[in-house]
Every structure is written in structure tokens, then in C-alpha cells.
């Protein structure tokens, strides 16, 4: 890896605008892959740590620019070039010529970046018999390998041959619905880009050996999708700005080595440089946060957001011990209690209290208080007053305390059973326990949250 990082830095330094603070370096660990650490001196608040110019970022804008180098039909003001390819033997002249401007502009950033990265990273070496090297190769060379992202549940769901499929029934409700949602997005994007990949395969299969099959390309696509998903950073793309909010992101080499930390607002922060023109892209800059760093070897972090372990597992493939942002989604259990009670159901729906019931360490959500109060008392008039703030939850607490303890205790039993089952499975699979361990961490934290509330509700009774 050291050699690859050196090549990455040499490539980044081809731009005079690239900056890397000399006090930081890359360290690799089993637990979190590559990360940025302090190697000497110290960093204090607002110190510039990294700045990566637009020439070395992959996003909707820069991809169109690079494709246009091989497709002179593309003409998007302030984005494309009209120079024509320098090398007439470059297979991308033919491959990218089938990409029509209207089609490209309709794609989302995910679709375009997946297509482009598969072309440049996976297909170009095949199309050219390794004779043509992508501009982005030093970046591709430091991206995670497939095994490093094997713990993402959506991959278990979408890969026929995933050895982790037996774990899907053991996902928490929050993780399962997250997985279902992302699976739909991934499948939809595949439907959009697969026809282009198929055309490329037909174009090159009689010219070169070892063109990957569509099944192989699908696996590459899944990997590229989650490489992008786990490393993209929010960034305004002028041509997407007001049309497609989800497409406003960029990939930034080196900045994407920063690992996540749960504390919000203490570690590094991104600050975008200003530009003269609206259509111009900005360098991506990372500065030191409030906390500062002064211990050599100390890891320099970025907070990816206030994310629970269920979220981190699904988006990034890792979980944290003692993650303060964890919560339990108890929607299914509470909605089950309303079954057959049409009056309760329609009241909750009309008042927008239907579903989305969560419990974290500090709170049982207000939505749960309202809904349980109605389920238990069936007193619509008083619950309406509760919603309007005329009655406090103290009125309902004695009435719903027992059913609430019952609910939490039955959840506790369910999660304890899952922990027993997962621990059994772990014994049979001692060589690769990572995915199971992530689920165990999630459930053990659920138990910690439940125990806290069960004992708090019990104490109320004793008083
Ligand atoms: C933006 S990348 C960070 C760099 C990454 N470690 C690498 O080797 O390229 C995000 C990925 O890093 C890993 N990661 C980030 N923060 C982590 C943490 N606190 N613990 C474990 N893994 C982490 C996860 O694999 C995640 O998908």
C-alpha cells in the first residue's frame, strides 16, 4: 500500500494547487482500513490539512469533461472540451462515442459515476490489452478491495452467491428497511447503465480477449456503487444544483481516507473555497476542528453525520462500540397493537402519528407516548389535548407504564434470542466473524437502551 500511496501523492502533486499538511500521513489498520494520522508536530483549530483541486476529483461535472475528450459531440458550456482525442487508437474514442448528451445529462451522479468508473477502472485495461492507462489509476489503486466492503447488508441481499445471506433474517428492523430501500436504488441504477455496458461488451468482444460477462460486470458494479456510497462527500455541482439534490457530491482522493468519529463538530471539517464564476468547481479543503491534534500517531477524523450503527452498517459497512446515536425502531411492534382498531388507526394517520416510532438511550419518542396513550386508553379527546400540549405525559404515564414495560421486555427477549442464535452461528464460522460481530454489537446496544428504560419505568412505580 505504501507504494500506492506514494503514487497517489505524486499524481496529486501534478497539480500545483494540491496541498497536504506535512504533519499528516496515512496509517492502515485491520479495524478501519486506511486512515489519516498525525506524524509530527501538532494541528490546531482551522489549520489547513488537505486541499484537492477539481482536476483530481471525480464528480458529475469532471466525468462529463473527461468523457468529452473522447466524444466531440458533447457540448455543455463550461463543462466539456472540444479538442478531440489525442490518441486515435484509444478504445475510449469508440466506447464513449455511443454516449449521447441528452442521455448523460439525464443520469444521476451515481449512475454516471458508476458507469464511468467501471469503464476507466475495469474495462479500459481489457479494451486496450493494458496498453492505455486511465488518468485516475493512482486513485483507483488505493480504493478498498471487494472484501473490505463485504459487511454491507445490501450486498448480501443483491449478490446471489453471498455467503452472508443467512444473516439477512437476523437484521434489525431498521437495518432491514434500510437494506430494502438501498437495494431498490441499486437495482434501478443497474437497469439504467446495464444497456451501455452490454453495448460495450458487444463492441469489444470480437476485438479483445477476456471481456467480462454481464454477471461479472454486475459484481463490479455493486463494488463500485458501494465504493462511491462510502466515500462521497457533499459538494455542489452547478449543473445539478437545483435539479437533483442527491447528485451533489464528489469523490476526493486523500480526503476520503478520513475515517468517521461519532462526536459532531469537534474534529476536521470541510470548507469550500470560493470561485469567481457560478459554473466553476471548487477545491475541496479540509481544516482542523476545535479539538486539535498533538499526539504523534493520533488519528485525524471526520464526522460523517450523527449516524446510528444500523445506518453506518448499511451505508459504510462498519459499526461503532458505544455509539451515542443508536436507536431502536419499534414501529412494527407498535403498529401491530393497533390492528383491527380502525378508529385509532385513522386518528393516528390523520394526525400524522402513524409509524416512525423510535427509542434511543435518552428518550422514548414523543410519537410513542402519543400512540401508546391512545392504544391503551382509547380516549381520543384526551390524546388530542396531549398532542395540543394541554395535557402532559404525566397524565398518561401511569396508564401506559405497564404496557410499555411489557413491550420493552418482549423486545428484550427477542433481541436476546437473536444474540444467542448469532453467537451459535459465529461458532461455526470462526474464520470470518466480522459481519456477525457487527450485528451482535447492534443488538447488544439495543439491550443497553432497553434495560435503561425498563429500569427507569420500574423506578417510577417504586416512587
Ligand atoms: C471514507 S472511507 C475512509 C477510508 C477507509 N478507511 C479506507 O481505507 O479507504 C469510509 C470507509 O472507511 C471505513 N471506516 C470509516 N470510519 C470507520 C470507523 N470509525 N471504524 C471502522 N471503519 C471505518 C469503512 O470501511 C468505511 O466504508
Amino acid at each position: 500500500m505504501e507504494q500506492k500511496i506514494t503514487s497517489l501523492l505524486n499524481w496529486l502533486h501534478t497539480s500545483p494547487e494540491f496541498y497536504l499538511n506535512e504533519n499528516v500521513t496515512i496509517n492502515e489498520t485491520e479495524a478501519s482500513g486506511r486512515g489519516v494520522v498525525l506524524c509530527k508536530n501538532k494541528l490546531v483549530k482551522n489549520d489547513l490539512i488537505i486541499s484537492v483541486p477539481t482536476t483530481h476529483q471525480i464528480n458529475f461535472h469532471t466525468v462529463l469533461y473527461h468523457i468529452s475528450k473522447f466524444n466531440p459531440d458533447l457540448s455543455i458550456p463550461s463543462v466539456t472540451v472540444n479538442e478531440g482525442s489525442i490518441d486515435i487508437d484509444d478504445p475510449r474514442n469508440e466506447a464513449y462515442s455511443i454516449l449521447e448528451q441528452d442521455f448523460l445529462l439525464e443520469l444521476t451522479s451515481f449512475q454516471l459515476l458508476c458507469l464511468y468508473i467501471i469503464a476507466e477502472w475495469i474495462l479500459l485495461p481489457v479494451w486496450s490489452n493494458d496498453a492505455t492507462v486511465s488518468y485516475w489509476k493512482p486513485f483507483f489503486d488505493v480504493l478498498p478491495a471487494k472484501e473490505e466492503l463485504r459487511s454491507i447488508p445490501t450486498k448480501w441481499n443483491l449478490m446471489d452467491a453471498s455467503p452472508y445471506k443467512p444473516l439477512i433474517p437476523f437484521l434489525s428492523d431498521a437495518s432491514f428497511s434500510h437494506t430494502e430501500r438501498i437495494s431498490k436504488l441499486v437495482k434501478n441504477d443497474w437497469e439504467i447503465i446495464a444497456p451501455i455496458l452490454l453495448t460495450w461488451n458487444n463492441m469489444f468482444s470480437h476485438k479483445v480477449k477476456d471481456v467480462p460477462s454481464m454477471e461479472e460486470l454486475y459484481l463490479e458494479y455493486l463494488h463500485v456503487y458501494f465504493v462511491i456510497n462510502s466515500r462521497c462527500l457533499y459538494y455542489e455541482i452547478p449543473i445539478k444544483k437545483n435539479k437533483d439534490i442527491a447528485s451533489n457530491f464528489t469523490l476526493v482522493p486523500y480526503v476520503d481516507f478520513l475515517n468517521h468519529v461519532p462526536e459532531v463538530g469537534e474534529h476536521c471539517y470541510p470548507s469550500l473555497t470560493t470561485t469567481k464564476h457560478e459554473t466553476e468547481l471548487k477545491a475541496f479543503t479540509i481544516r482542523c476542528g476545535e479539538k486539535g491534534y498533538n499526539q504523534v500517531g493520533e488519528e485525524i477524523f471526520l464526522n460523517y453525520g450523527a449516524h446510528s450503527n444500523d445506518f453506518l452498517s448499511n451505508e459504510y459497512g462498519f459499526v461503532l462500540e458505544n455509539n451515542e446515536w443508536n436507536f431502536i425502531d419499534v414501529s412494527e411492534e407498535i403498529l401491530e397493537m393497533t390492528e383491527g382498531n380502525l378508529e385509532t388507526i385513522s386518528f393516528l394517520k390523520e394526525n400524522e402519528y402513524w409509524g416512525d416510532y423510535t427509542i434511543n438511550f435518552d428518550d422514548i419518542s414523543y410519537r410513542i407516548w402519543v400512540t401508546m396513550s391512545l392504544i391503551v386508553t382509547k380516549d381520543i379527546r384526551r390524546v388530542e389535548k396531549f398532542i395540543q400540549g394541554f395535557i402532559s405525559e404525566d397524565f398518561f404515564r401511569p396508564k401506559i407504564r405497564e404496557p410499555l414495560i411489557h413491550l420493552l421486555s418482549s423486545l428484550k427477549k427477542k433481541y436476546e434470542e437473536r444474540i444467542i442464535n448469532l453467537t451459535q452461528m459465529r461458532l461455526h464460522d470462526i474464520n470470518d466473524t466480522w459481519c456477525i460481530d457487527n450485528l451482535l454489537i447492534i443488538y447488544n446496544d439495543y439491550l443497553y437502551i432497553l434495560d435503561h428504560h425498563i429500569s427507569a419505568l420500574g423506578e417510577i412505580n417504586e416512587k
Side-chain angles (χ1 to χ4, degrees):
M1 184 46 71
E2 228 175 283
Q3 184 56 47
K4 289 179 178 173
I5 304 279
T6 307
S7 303
L8 178 78
L9 286 171
N10 289 340
W11 173 68
L12 288 165
H13 276 298
T14 56
S15 165
E17 287 162 49
F18 170 67
Y19 172 82
L20 180 66
N21 193 302
E22 59 178 14
N23 295 339
V24 304
T25 189
I26 298 300
N27 185 39
E28 197 170 3
T29 65
E30 173 97 44
S32 55
R34 278 74 46 196
V36 182
V37 293
L38 189 76
C39 60
K40 58 180 158 103
N41 302 327
K42 61 179 179 173
L43 291 168
V44 298
K45 190 178 170 190
N46 296 334
D47 272 355
L48 183 58
I49 302 180
I50 315 165
S51 186
V52 179
T54 172
T55 49
H56 289 73
Q57 296 177 35
I58 302 188
N59 56 51
F60 195 86
H61 181 122
T62 60
V63 167
L64 289 180
Y65 163 79
H66 278 271
I67 291 177
S68 76
K69 287 182 171 178
F70 302 95
N71 179 346
D73 292 342
L74 299 184
S75 173
I76 308 162
S78 310
V79 178
T80 54
V81 279
N82 210 346
E83 292 161 7
S85 172
I86 308 147
D87 178 2
I88 52 161
D89 294 327
D90 194 314
R92 289 170 293 185
N93 293 319
E94 192 183 352
Y96 294 170
S97 72
I98 64 161
L99 301 173
E100 289 180 8
Q101 180 157 320
D102 289 348
F103 169 78
L104 291 175
L105 288 175
E106 279 301 310
L107 296 178
T108 64
S109 285
F110 256 102
Q111 293 159 357
L112 181 65
L113 267 60
C114 283
L115 185 64
Y116 179 70
I117 292 174
I118 293 171
E120 295 278 324
W121 187 11
I122 314 297
L123 294 173
L124 182 58
V126 179
W127 294 342
S128 69
N129 287 318
D130 286 322
T132 311
V133 177
S134 172
Y135 168 72
W136 306 103
K137 187 174 185 304
F139 182 28
F140 297 151
D141 285 346
V142 294
L143 291 175
K146 289 192 181 77
E147 318 81 79
E148 291 180 77
L149 298 179
R150 70 185 184 281
S151 55
I152 296 175
T154 303
K155 294 183 83 182
W156 314 341
N157 197 25
L158 295 179
M159 285 167 62
D160 285 341
S162 169
Y164 307 106
K165 269 203 191 306
L167 293 180
I168 295 177
F170 292 95
L171 289 174
S172 66
D173 288 359
S175 272
F176 188 74
S177 47
H178 200 130
T179 298
E180 293 275 282
R181 188 172 57 76
I182 305 191
S183 295
K184 268 194 205 135
L185 297 175
V186 178
K187 279 188 207 158
N188 175 63
D189 287 355
W190 174 248
E191 295 296 313
I192 307 281
I193 69 164
I196 301 290
L197 296 171
L198 186 61
T199 310
W200 283 342
N201 268 8
N202 293 336
M203 197 180 256
F204 288 99
S205 55
H206 58 277
K207 293 185 195 164
V208 289
K209 283 195 295 176
D210 300 330
V211 167
S213 66
M214 285 304 281
E215 289 71 29
E216 286 165 328
L217 280 177
Y218 175 68
L219 296 180
E220 297 295 350
Y221 160 74
L222 279 185
H223 181 54
V224 169
Y225 189 100
F226 284 101
V227 164
I228 298 173
N229 198 50
S230 60
R231 327 180 71 79
C232 60
L233 295 146
Y234 177 78
Y235 181 79
E236 265 179 20
I237 306 292
I239 40 170
K240 284 284 183 191
K241 194 171 157 191
N242 301 319
K243 291 183 205 146
D244 171 10
I245 303 299
S247 279
N248 285 286
F249 68 77
T250 188
L251 296 180
V252 191
Y254 212 102
V255 169
D256 68 353
F257 283 140
L258 287 163
N259 284 322
H260 168 74
V261 74
E263 292 85 36
V264 179
E266 290 177 27
H267 288 261
C268 297
Y269 65 95
S271 69
L272 295 179
T273 50
T274 51
T275 52
K276 285 190 218 90
H277 304 290
E278 267 256 306
T279 49
E280 236 176 83
L281 295 185
K282 302 171 173 104
F284 200 102
T285 296
I286 289 287
R287 288 184 184 273
C288 182
E290 192 80 41
K291 185 189 171 299
Y293 303 90
N294 53 26
Q295 305 288 315
V296 168
E298 194 178 359
E299 181 153 5
I300 292 156
F301 287 110
L302 186 68
N303 170 264
Y304 300 172
H307 299 317
S308 69
N309 276 347
D310 284 299
F311 186 97
L312 291 173
S313 150
N314 278 281
E315 298 284 337
Y316 302 100
F318 72 95
V319 297
L320 299 170
E321 301 271 0
N322 311 319
N323 182 354
E324 61 186 295
W325 303 109
N326 286 342
F327 64 86
I328 312 173
D329 183 345
V330 296
S331 303
E332 196 181 307
E333 285 78 8
I334 294 188
L335 291 179
E336 246 170 41
M337 293 181 191
T338 66
E339 259 171 34
N341 195 335
L342 297 182
E343 210 182 358
T344 298
I345 294 171
S346 65
F347 177 87
L348 291 171
K349 285 188 176 167
E350 272 164 32
N351 289 279
E352 296 182 2
Y353 277 88
W354 178 254
D356 192 14
Y357 305 125
T358 55
I359 301 176
N360 64 21
F361 185 81
D362 294 323
D363 288 305
I364 293 174
S365 78
Y366 182 67
R367 298 176 68 79
I368 295 183
W369 281 100
V370 168
T371 304
M372 286 290 285
S373 297
L374 184 62
I375 292 169
V376 173
T377 66
K378 302 196 174 50
D379 188 341
I380 287 197
R381 204 176 53 82
R382 280 212 169 83
V383 171
E384 232 165 8
K385 292 220 160 88
F386 181 25
I387 292 175
Q388 290 159 355
F390 295 123
I391 298 180
S392 89
E393 60 195 44
D394 291 344
F395 173 80
F396 288 103
R397 186 174 281 115
K399 299 177 178 38
I400 70 166
R401 201 186 67 86
E402 280 297 332
L404 209 45
I405 292 180
H406 180 75
L407 168 70
L408 302 186
S409 304
S410 70
L411 285 168
K412 182 175 168 181
K413 191 160 168 267
K414 173 170 141 184
Y415 300 142
E416 280 171 343
E417 277 165 16
R418 288 204 177 165
I419 289 174
I420 291 170
N421 285 323
L422 286 165
T423 310
Q424 288 287 337
M425 291 166 91
R426 193 180 187 280
L427 290 176
H428 295 295
D429 212 355
I430 42 170
N431 293 326
D432 182 9
T433 59
W434 183 30
C435 300
I436 294 182
D437 287 342
N438 283 356
L439 297 186
L440 286 170
I441 289 174
I442 290 177
Y443 284 124
N444 277 311
D445 207 78
Y446 279 13
L447 291 186
Y448 175 64
I449 292 174
L450 290 173
D451 280 340
H452 171 76
H453 289 292
I454 292 170
S455 80
L457 286 162
E459 277 165 21
I460 293 167
N461 196 32
E462 280 161 23
K463 279 179 201 166

